């Protein structure tokens, strides 16, 4: 078990791995407006890893990935703010949640996540690789929650300048992705492609409003939402797909 807390100041690092070895647990807590600048950031490589960014902490990375190996379990939590300084995770490239196993991203309390994928050759990903081997079945599972606001009403948000790929299917093997946007949370991508098997359908839920009446919202700025899976928009939630929605494409 290894736990590191950054409570103030700046830490500059090359590649960073949390929960790197099999059967290990690692946790990194970045808070109180501390800053971590990292190369590739892997949370839950072969072990269990947790990255907690809170109280105005800031993390920037070349790319951020959770559950990168078959035995890895990775959780990234970005929560709250310190005054007007939001807790922030910024990826210069894509964010991948649930690469080979179980990964989660939770953005709450008005925190901010930013990613910059280059296109569908390197997209943001939720639930990437199907199960290996001839037996098939469920492989990676990625879960994303974007919920709530700061006390001042700033929404929790995942803002991406590129596309999202959720789920995957290869023969009788599949991966699953799930994303929930609630409490006035905001998510933005250029376009989205959701692939899933009937045994483990992808699911997107956009639900509710914040205290000021602002809708929970997923915005696709430049392209379509191509969906195989489940989409539920309820209780004032909003989907803004500029180029349309294709169901069962």
């Amino acid at each position: 078990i290894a736990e590191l807390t950054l409570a103030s100041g700046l830490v500059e690092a090359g590649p960073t791995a949390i929960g790197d070895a099999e059967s290990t647990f690692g946790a990194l807590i970045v808070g109180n407006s501390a800053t971590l600048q990292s190369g590739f950031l892997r949370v839950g490589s072969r072990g269990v890893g947790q990255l907690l960014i809170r109280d105005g902490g800031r993390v920037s990375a070349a790319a951020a990935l959770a559950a990168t190996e078959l035995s890895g379990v990775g959780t990234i939590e970005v929560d709250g703010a310190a005054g007007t300084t939001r807790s922030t995770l910024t990826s210069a490239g894509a964010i991948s949640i649930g690469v080979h196993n179980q990964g989660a991203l939770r953005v709450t309390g008005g925190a901010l996540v930013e990613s910059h994928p280059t296109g569908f050759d390197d997209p943001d990903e939720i639930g990437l690789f199907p199960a290996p081997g001839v037996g098939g079945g469920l492989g990676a599972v990625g879960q994303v929650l974007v919920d709530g606001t700061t006390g001042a009403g700033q929404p929790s948000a995942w803002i991406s300048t590129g596309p999202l790929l959720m789920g995957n299917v290869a023969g009788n093997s599949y991966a699953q992705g799930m994303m929930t946007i609630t409490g006035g949370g905001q998510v933005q991508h250029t376009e989205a492609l959701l692939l899933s098997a009937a045994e483990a359908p992808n699911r997107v839920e956009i639900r509710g409003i914040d205290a000021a009446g602002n809708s929970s919202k997923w915005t696709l700025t430049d392209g379509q939402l191509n969906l195989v899976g489940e989409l539920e928009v309820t209780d004032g939630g909003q989907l803004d797909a500029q180029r349309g929605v294709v169901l069962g494409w």
Side-chain angles (χ1 to χ4, degrees):
I1 297 175
E3 182 175 306
L4 173 64
T5 298
L6 305 181
S8 64
L10 168 66
V11 174
E12 296 178 319
T16 301
I18 306 168
D20 187 48
E22 195 167 348
S23 301
T24 62
F25 172 82
L28 174 60
I29 302 169
V30 182
N32 297 321
S33 300
T35 299
L36 169 65
Q37 296 178 350
S38 172
F40 280 87
L41 174 62
R42 294 178 293 128
V43 182
S45 298
R46 292 178 293 273
V48 177
Q50 293 182 352
L51 172 62
L52 311 178
I53 309 170
R54 60 194 187 195
D55 300 326
R58 297 184 178 185
V59 174
S60 61
L65 306 94
T68 58
E69 303 292 340
L70 291 174
S71 59
V73 177
T75 301
I76 300 173
E77 296 186 4
V78 193
D79 178 64
T84 59
T85 302
R86 303 162 80 183
S87 303
T88 303
L89 169 63
T90 300
S91 173
I95 290 177
S96 299
I97 305 299
V99 179
H100 277 286
N101 200 12
Q102 297 179 35
L105 170 65
R106 303 185 185 104
V107 189
T108 56
L112 174 64
V113 171
E114 299 173 307
S115 58
H116 302 278
T118 57
F120 272 119
D121 57 338
D122 183 28
D124 290 326
E125 296 157 334
I126 306 174
L128 181 56
F129 283 106
V134 297
L138 180 63
V141 177
Q143 297 178 303
V144 171
L145 170 68
V146 181
D147 174 70
T149 67
T150 64
Q154 192 116 25
S156 303
W158 179 9
I159 305 300
S160 174
T161 58
L164 172 68
L165 174 64
M166 183 184 295
N168 206 343
V169 179
N172 64 343
S173 299
Y174 40 89
Q176 182 182 32
M178 291 166 278
M179 181 167 68
T180 303
I181 309 169
T182 56
Q186 306 287 303
V187 176
Q188 177 180 300
H189 290 91
T190 55
E191 55 188 315
L193 174 60
L194 280 65
L195 301 168
S196 61
E199 295 87 347
N202 293 316
R203 180 171 176 80
V204 176
E205 183 178 358
I206 311 168
R207 172 170 43 86
I209 58 177
D210 65 14
N214 299 304
S215 294
S216 307
K217 187 175 181 181
W218 187 20
T219 301
L220 302 176
T221 58
D222 297 323
Q224 292 179 328
L225 168 59
N226 293 286
L227 171 69
V228 176
E230 301 173 355
L231 171 64
E232 183 174 334
V233 184
T234 59
D235 299 330
Q238 185 175 345
L239 170 66
D240 186 355
Q242 300 288 330
R243 298 290 180 86
V245 177
V246 178
L247 303 177
W249 62 281

